Structures are given as C-alpha cells and as structure tokens.
C-alpha cells in the first residue's frame, strides 16, 4: 500500500514538473479518459524549431473539439511518434480522434497551440513635409493587419513615399509595404517571411503624396432641373451635390443617401445619365479633371445632378387654364403659371379672386391658398369654377 502511494505521488510530481494543464476530449465525448495537455513550452512539449512559442491557454475546447485562438497559431500534436504535426482542429467523433482534414489518430499526444513569430509590430511614423506642388495628409497613410496576421502599409489615396530619419527622400519605391518576422518593412513578404523582398533596415518616415491640383476641380453640379437634358427635367427630384474638399485629399462629388449621381455631356438627350457616374461618385485628378473613380475622364462640358424618382401624380379634375398648366410636383398636381411670379386667378359665377397656389386634392377638388394662408376647396363637379387663368392673362 505504501509502495503504491509512493508511485502515485511520483506520477503526480512528474506531471507537475511537466506542467500538466487539463484533460481534453474526454468524459461525455466518448473517447475514453481524454488527452492530457501540458502548459510547458519546452522542446519536448512544443515544436520550438518551427514555432517560437506555444501557449496552452489559447486552446479552445468545446463540443468535443479542440482548436486554437489566434491568427498566427496552429494546433500541433504528436501521433504515436516524436514527429510534430499540425492541423486546425481535432475532434472526438464516434469514439475516434480525427483531424479537421479527416485523418484518424491512433495515439494522440501532447496537443497544444503553437504560434508563429509576430509580424504586425513594425515601426514607422508619418513624414510631415510634402514635396513642392503636392499635398499630403496623415490620414491617407494606412497601416492594417492582413489575414495572415502581418502588418501592411499602403495609401488610401496617393502614392507612397519614404524618407530617411533626416527627412530626405529615399530611392525606394513600392505601392505597399509588408511587415516581416524580423520586425522590418519590406516590399514583399509571404506570411511574415524574411525571404523574397527588399528589406528596409534603416529608420524611415512615410507619407502619401497627391498632386495639389487634384484639390481644385470646380463642381459641375446643376442647380435646377431645367439645366439637365430634356428627358430628365420632369419626373425627378433634385438634391444638392456633395462636393467634398479637404486639404490633403482629392476633391470628390457624391450624393446624399436615397439619391443617385447622374452625369451628362451638356444637353445630349440619348443617355441614361450613368455613362460617367457608374461608381456613384467622381474624383478630381492631378490635371483638374473629374474622373469616374479614377479610371476614365469625363467630358469638359460635364453636368452632374443628384436625382431620385419623383412620386407619381394621379388623375385630377380638368380645368382650362389660361397662361398656365397642371404640373406634377412631388406627387401633387399643381397649377403653374407660364410666367414666374404670377398669381392664379379663379373666376366663379359672380367674381374672380387671386391665389398664391392651387393644388388638387383627390376626391375633393382643387384647393386654393391665398397670401394669408387661408385655403378653400373648389368643387369642380358642381361647377364652382367658371374659369382659371394666370394673373393678367384675361
């Protein structure tokens, strides 16, 4: 009995020395007692020749499956040998251990989470000086972490330029920089590798440069529907064009939500309105020309407008209108005088009265509004209106 206790104590001591963490894939999973994991990261419990470190606390154990939490991690294990293997997960399925690839494991040993060297901690800073004739903004320089867990540096807009620690231009060109496991930026790196690219070993600064002229395009926006080609002068609602102008950014034009950006070459009528605005926005380039997303030029006589379909108007009681007509405005039939500023004169059996506006109310008749805001419904079915004319027509 004493000998058994001594052996048990020795086993516990050995396990403690090895750094036992937890039992996984056991219990109700149906794979027996489960598999012992270890918290130590020594070579016997972590493939340190390929991975700098292992961290058992990053192991996820749920629904009879183990995997690892972390972009640059792999689940590593041994299977009846001293050779380390990798997979994305291991599950207990019908009493058997299987990898995510479907391989059956006959003697699963020492699963843990192994981590590749980090590659998202390369240093840099924004270069405040800007070349003559160019414009720069810190917000255009973008540093992100890609799907491989490695850092990337690029420009949201503009061209990437690098400068020495003394703020002098460097003879190094690239559209994107990659952070590698040596904590250095390079013009190419796959999964943080230090092989294959030209590495920048010196301290440097970076910015994104744009031609200053790309801030200076004049907005070609229409302010009235009458400025548009004839097919677009009715049936649409016109909104103000958003003209974005900010130092360090090329000017852009776009529309508020609910409106679409239309573009026209002067008054040409055989158009859809989207020949130049298929992207929904236009950008000014270094030659002060508007381009459709930086891919093609727009015509020099460009007119743009933010439009949406106007509500349709229904039927209305017909009346003869001298010097005016019925128009559909935002879903309402209204009487509009041909001459701007004229009031509407309504004649009944006895006299005439002047009104500011007249709108048709479905099922009721024409409603007039005078200059004080008073309103009246005219029942055309009862011949309350003898005639309608714009002021001065009769």
């Amino acid at each position: 009995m004493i000998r058994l206790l001594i052996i048990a104590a020795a086993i516990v001591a050995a396990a403690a020395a090895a750094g036992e963490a937890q039992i996984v894939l056991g219990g109700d999973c149906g794979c027996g007692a489960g598999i012992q994991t270890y918290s130590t990261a020594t070579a016997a419990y972590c493939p340190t020749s390929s991975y700098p470190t292992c961290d058992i606390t990053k192991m996820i154990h749920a629904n009879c499956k183990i995997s690892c939490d972390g972009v640059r991690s792999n689940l590593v294990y041994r299977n009846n040998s001293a050779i380390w293997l990798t997979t994305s997960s291991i599950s207990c399925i019908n009493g058997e251990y299987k990898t995510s690839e479907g391989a059956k494991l006959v003697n699963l040993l020492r699963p843990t989470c192994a981590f590749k060297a980090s590659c998202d901690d390369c240093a840099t800073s924004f270069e405040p000086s800007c070349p003559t004739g160019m414009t720069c903004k810190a917000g255009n320089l973008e540093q992100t972490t890609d799907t491989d867990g490695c850092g990337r540096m690029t420009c949201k807009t503009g061209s990437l330029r690098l400068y020495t620690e003394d703020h002098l231009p460097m003879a190094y060109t690239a559209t994107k920089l990659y952070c590698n496991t040596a904590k250095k930026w390079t013009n190419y790196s796959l999964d943080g590798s230090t092989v294959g690219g030209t590495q920048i070993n010196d301290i440097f600064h970076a910015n994104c440069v744009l031609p200053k002229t790309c801030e200076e395009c004049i907005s070609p926006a229409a302010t009235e529907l009458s400025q548009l080609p004839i097919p677009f002068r009715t049936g649409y609602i016109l909104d103000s064009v958003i003209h974005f102008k900010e130092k360090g950014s090329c000017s852009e034009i776009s529309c508020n939500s609910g409106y679409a950006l239309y573009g026209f070459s002067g008054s040409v009528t055989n158009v859809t309105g989207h020949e130049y605005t298929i992207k929904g926005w236009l950008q000014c380039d270094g030659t002060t020309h508007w381009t459709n997303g930086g891919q093609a030029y727009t015509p020099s006589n460009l007119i743009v407008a933010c439009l949406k379909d106007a509500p349709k108007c229904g039927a209305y009681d017909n009346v003869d209108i001298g010097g005016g007509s019925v128009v559909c405005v935002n879903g309402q039939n209204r009487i509009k005088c041909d001459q701007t500023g004229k009031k509407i004169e309504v004649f009944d059996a006895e006299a005439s009265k002047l009104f500011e506006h007249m709108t048709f109310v479905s099922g009721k008749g024409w409603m007039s509004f005078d200059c004080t805001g008073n309103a009246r419904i005219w029942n055309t079915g009862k011949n309350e209106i003898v005639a309608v004319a714009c002021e001065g027509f009769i």
Side-chain angles (χ1 to χ4, degrees):
M1 182 67 178
I2 293 175
R3 187 166 183 270
L4 290 175
L5 290 173
I6 293 173
I7 293 174
I11 292 173
V12 171
E20 291 185 5
Q22 61 177 320
I23 300 291
V24 295
L25 303 177
D28 295 338
C29 290
C31 285
I35 301 299
Q36 179 68 59
T37 62
Y38 300 88
S39 60
T40 182
T42 60
Y45 298 89
C46 176
T48 53
S49 59
S50 304
Y51 296 86
T53 186
C54 291
D55 186 353
I56 194 63
T57 66
K58 299 298 183 181
M59 181 177 287
I60 302 171
H61 181 205
N63 301 319
C64 297
K65 180 172 76 173
I66 55 174
S67 58
C68 294
D69 180 25
V71 175
R72 294 187 60 76
S73 68
N74 278 318
L75 181 63
V76 297
Y77 64 97
R78 292 182 179 183
N79 183 33
N80 204 35
S81 75
I83 299 173
W84 287 101
L85 303 171
T86 64
T87 186
S88 60
S89 65
I90 295 174
S91 301
C92 174
I93 302 174
N94 297 326
E96 296 179 334
Y97 298 119
K98 290 186 177 181
T99 67
S100 54
E101 298 78 18
K104 179 180 176 181
L105 306 178
V106 296
N107 187 17
L108 175 61
L109 298 168
R110 302 181 183 181
T112 191
C113 293
F115 285 80
K116 292 177 279 188
S118 65
C119 53
D120 62 348
D121 44 7
C122 293
T124 190
S125 59
F126 176 72
E127 171 57 44
S129 62
C130 202
T132 302
M134 309 298 281
T135 184
C136 307
K137 184 176 70 172
N140 290 337
L141 187 65
E142 186 174 51
Q143 284 188 244
T144 58
T145 300
D146 214 332
T147 54
D148 60 0
C150 298
R152 300 284 192 272
M153 184 195 303
T154 188
C155 291
K156 293 179 184 177
T157 182
S159 301
L160 185 63
R161 297 283 180 88
L162 306 184
Y163 302 81
T164 66
E165 193 174 9
D166 296 325
H167 308 286
L168 299 175
M170 292 174 61
Y172 188 101
T173 58
T175 57
K176 179 186 291 187
L177 294 180
Y178 301 74
C179 181
N180 63 23
T181 55
K183 303 186 188 311
K184 299 291 184 180
W185 291 107
T186 175
N187 61 355
Y188 179 77
S189 175
L190 183 63
D191 198 32
S193 172
T194 57
V195 179
T198 303
Q199 183 172 285
I200 307 173
N201 294 310
D202 299 323
I203 296 174
F204 71 94
H205 311 287
N207 66 16
C208 300
V209 301
L210 290 161
K212 190 170 181 59
T213 47
C214 83
E215 299 176 342
E216 300 169 358
C217 285
I218 298 172
S219 173
T223 56
E224 296 180 3
L225 288 173
S226 60
Q227 297 173 289
L228 304 181
I230 292 173
F232 295 88
R233 294 178 185 175
T234 58
Y236 293 92
I237 297 175
L238 177 68
D239 189 34
S240 299
V241 169
I242 300 171
H243 187 187
F244 174 80
K245 297 181 69 174
E246 182 180 279
K247 181 176 174 56
S249 299
C250 291
S251 293
E252 292 183 5
I253 50 180
S254 59
C255 295
N256 288 309
S257 177
Y259 289 82
L261 183 66
Y262 285 72
F264 308 97
S265 178
S267 59
V268 175
T269 58
N270 187 26
V271 292
T272 66
H274 294 299
E275 281 80 1
Y276 314 109
T277 59
I278 192 67
K279 289 179 175 291
W281 56 277
L282 295 177
Q283 187 177 65
C284 181
D285 76 352
T287 63
T288 64
H289 283 87
W290 290 107
T291 69
N292 62 345
Q295 295 186 1
Y297 284 114
T298 56
S300 58
N301 62 344
L302 176 70
I303 299 174
V304 297
C306 291
L307 303 175
K308 71 177 180 180
D309 292 337
K312 304 299 182 185
C313 292
Y316 57 88
D317 292 346
N318 190 38
V319 291
D320 292 328
I321 305 166
S325 61
V326 177
V327 296
C328 180
V329 179
N330 295 336
Q332 287 186 320
N333 289 304
R334 298 183 183 180
I335 294 177
K336 180 181 179 182
C337 292
D338 296 335
Q339 290 183 279
T340 304
K342 295 293 184 178
K343 294 182 180 181
I344 301 167
E345 190 171 9
V346 179
F347 296 83
D348 59 17
E350 298 177 356
S352 68
K353 295 182 180 180
L354 292 174
F355 298 99
E356 298 291 323
H357 308 287
M358 287 194 75
T359 300
F360 186 74
V361 180
S362 180
K364 295 184 180 296
W366 286 98
M367 177 178 284
S368 60
F369 299 86
D370 63 21
C371 60
T372 63
N374 293 322
R376 173 187 169 178
I377 291 286
W378 298 80
N379 191 325
T380 49
K382 294 182 179 180
N383 298 317
E384 291 183 353
I385 294 178
V386 174
V388 175
C390 289
E391 186 180 12
F393 186 80
I394 296 178

